[in-house]
Amino acid sequence: MSTVGYGDVSCQTVLGKMFLILFILVGLALFASSIPEIIDLIGTRSKYGGCYKNERGRRHIVVCGHITYESVSHFLKDFLHEDREDVDVEVVFLHRAEPDLEFEGLLKRQHTRVKYFQGSLMNAMDLERAKVHEADACLVLANKYCPDPDAEDAANIMRVISIKNYSDDIRVIIQLMQYHNKAYLLNIPSWDWKQGDDVICLAELKLGFIAQSCLAPGFSTMMANLFAMRSFKTSPDMAAWQNDYLQGTGCEMYTETLSPTFTGMTFSQASELCFVKLKLLLLAIEVKPEDGGDPKISINPRRSKLPTNTVGFFIAQSAEEVKRAWFYCKACHEDVKDENLIKKCKCKHLMTFRKGVRAIQLVGKTMANKTGATPATPFSAALSKPLLNIKNSVMAKEENGSKPVMNGRPTNKPADQQKNGKMEVGIADDQAKDFDFAKTEMKYDSTGMFHWTPARSIEDCILDRNQAAMTVLNGHVVVCLFADPDSPLIGLRNLVMPLRASNFHYHELKHVVIVGAVDYLRREWKTLQNLPKISVLNGSPLSRADLRAVNVNLCDMCVILSAKVPSNDDPTLADKEAILASLNIKAMTFGDIITNIESMGDSKDALNNMGDTTVKRPGPIYGTNVPMITELVNDSNVQFLDQDDDDDPDTELYLTQPFACGTAFAVSVLDSLMSTTYFNQNALTLIRSLITGGATPELEIILAEGAGLRGGYSTPDTLSHRDRCRVGQISLSDGPLATFGEGRKYQDLFVASLRNYGMLCIGLYRLRDAALTTVDATSKRYVITNPPFDFGLLPTDQVYVLLPFERKQSRFSFSETEV
């Protein structure tokens, strides 16, 4: 109305002209008043509110949950590592808040491979913007330092429900804090581990790693370094032990199809060929059942020959090295001395084989894309029959005059009843076919994977200080636990269950003595009541009297844990109790101890639960030699554990001396498992088999009921589950392998152990001071993962080996592990 143009249309009357003037003035005023609001609307429009556009045709994954600069930087560092082959995947982050300035800087540095969108996973519109239905996978990160783990898990499970509700065929990998919350994922109809869905339970794996350190000191460090992508850089300026350790940190797990040259070989023959000729460590193979069931991972199997197209699991420095197993041809490469010259050959039968395998892989990839799964081989996230458990293989010997022993388990039955021509029904090594179930004693859980005992009250397992002092504990595990009565449960079951795996004989089980507040342990006890050989001392881990009462100087491992919630005021003080307890034990001194005591058969139940009280070895005089592993919340606090090291406060955890020696562990080392699981789901299956001691889908369904472990009858099927590998730590100072400690090479030890005993060597535990010829009270050891074939051995070395389960008597005599 106010526009008059070129004068063609204009007001003719005075009243019209006056109205138009007033209208123009009012209109300009109203428009001017709206300008700030318009500018504000334009300015507040988020630059992270667009939609994902896949312009390059690459795959992409959606990462959500706990998104911060720290969590994202750790994730990207491993996910985009240079050692990963052909990482042509874009990472899309979806979070409700805008990134801060530091986070924005990270996004700009990685702008070609990383996108960020602001939105909520609970909103279908935001899921559409991130193209979740087209994503290769969706990863949900958890806040490891949250004050309420159950609430954090509930929020992440709701995110999974929203994702699956939007796209039921997308692959989801989720981090959970607590083991018992895994059961809720089973309630999601579209959750299917066969299609690649998987859960990384931080409590389960963290405590599982620590449990393995109780059995083979330093093994947690070795495993943590294997699934993290790292590039080692040795330097002549570094100490020799640091260079040896760093070389091992560069090793990772890889999978590759074995060439037809390996067809028909036993695993031992194939592993020897890979190590000697290809300079690769073959750890396990994928076994496909004849009935067409789901394939399983078999670690160092016996008596089985490799079929065609066998997938092997290797430890190597890079994916390029592992290709030698795919290229190796006996006709062309048998005389090749340099493993780097083993390349693709032109043999007709190899070409035909490779074309066939690649065709199968392409068909599998096509089918996987149709079903929404990843191109990787479909594989169970948890084995139906896990084949390995970690163990410190110190074989206990029967002494004259002791109780009759049946399969390592004390028994009161007369010897003539044990030798009456018919085996006792229900004993561990029973091979009878006709069971009388009414007379069968339950000694294992219903899956046959763990030792089991009828539920006991915590009152029957509580020791006071005087009772503990009367019992000469030796070779046990002391758990120093800091917890308030209302602290969040940490799931102690995950620490004890690997120590109760069924491929241990009963007499080999280490006693577990928990020192802490009984009020907290009562809440945990429901999950521990069916596991044998557990005792509780109601006391303080900072009390030297309590520590002396449980003979901390005679233990095989002292574990320091904290269940207390970190303070929001100063999170760096979250480890104060653990550090104080560690320093307190190291400052203690110990005098002479009683070497053995009279039988405690008439004592209270708590004392009877301790089992054999005979001292097996003298303890250290100084607390610095007490074997110990401390769990830390903050990586930076590792600098306070060892006063004689010179680690910089900004040094990464894996480069610090306590971690290299296996005396410190932090949950942050599990961050790498998210990317490892995405690229190779089988790797997580292998790691879980090594760490948990036998967790199966069947067991998880049973535990989801909340009633704890169920007892089972010892049938041939359940007893067969005991036949799985374990880890041993062998000393080269004595025993059949002592000759290899006298200047021999690692390859000689590897070949002899594999041929003569079926044991697979995977690493060394060496004294930090190589000049020491005997174990000193202050000596420390460090981990060497997969040493080179020409690596020199020392008499003081200890060797990590994977050895098969022996049903009766071990063919190999293990020396006592010295720390």
Side-chain angles (χ1 to χ4, degrees), residues 396-468:
K397 298 180 180 179
E398 300 177 18
E399 298 185 2
N400 294 332
S402 61
K403 273 188 174 184
V405 176
M406 185 178 295
N407 301 302
R409 191 185 296 264
T411 177
N412 292 319
K413 294 182 180 295
D416 56 349
Q417 292 186 18
Q418 302 172 32
K419 300 179 181 179
N420 58 4
K422 182 179 179 182
M423 296 186 68
E424 179 71 20
V425 174
I427 63 174
D429 299 324
D430 193 356
Q431 297 298 317
K433 295 183 178 179
D434 298 322
F435 285 125
D436 185 354
F437 289 100
K439 298 180 180 179
T440 301
E441 181 183 356
M442 296 183 186
K443 299 180 180 178
Y444 303 100
D445 75 304
S446 57
T447 65
M449 306 304 290
F450 297 95
H451 285 271
W452 181 88
T453 187
R456 298 163 299 155
S457 168
I458 190 174
E459 307 298 336
D460 295 334
C461 299
I462 293 178
L463 294 169
D464 61 30
R465 189 181 297 171
N466 294 330
Q467 290 174 326

Side-chain angles (χ1 to χ4, degrees), residues 160-174:
V160 174
I161 294 174
S162 176
I163 294 169
K164 286 292 188 178
N165 186 57
Y166 175 76
S167 177
D168 59 0
D169 59 351
I170 187 175
R171 182 187 180 196
V172 176
I173 304 173
I174 178 178

Side-chain angles (χ1 to χ4, degrees), residues 669-690:
V669 303
L670 302 178
D671 290 340
S672 302
L673 271 179
M674 290 296 282
S675 51
T676 300
T677 304
Y678 169 73
F679 286 107
N680 188 354
Q681 183 184 352
N682 294 347
L684 179 61
T685 307
L686 181 63
I687 292 168
R688 186 177 284 130
S689 302
L690 287 164

Side-chain angles (χ1 to χ4, degrees), residues 177-197:
M177 299 293 296
Q178 301 283 33
Y179 180 80
H180 58 265
N181 291 326
K182 292 174 67 174
Y184 299 115
L185 293 171
L186 303 177
N187 300 331
I188 304 176
S190 53
W191 180 269
D192 187 1
W193 50 265
K194 292 183 179 180
Q195 296 299 328
D197 294 337

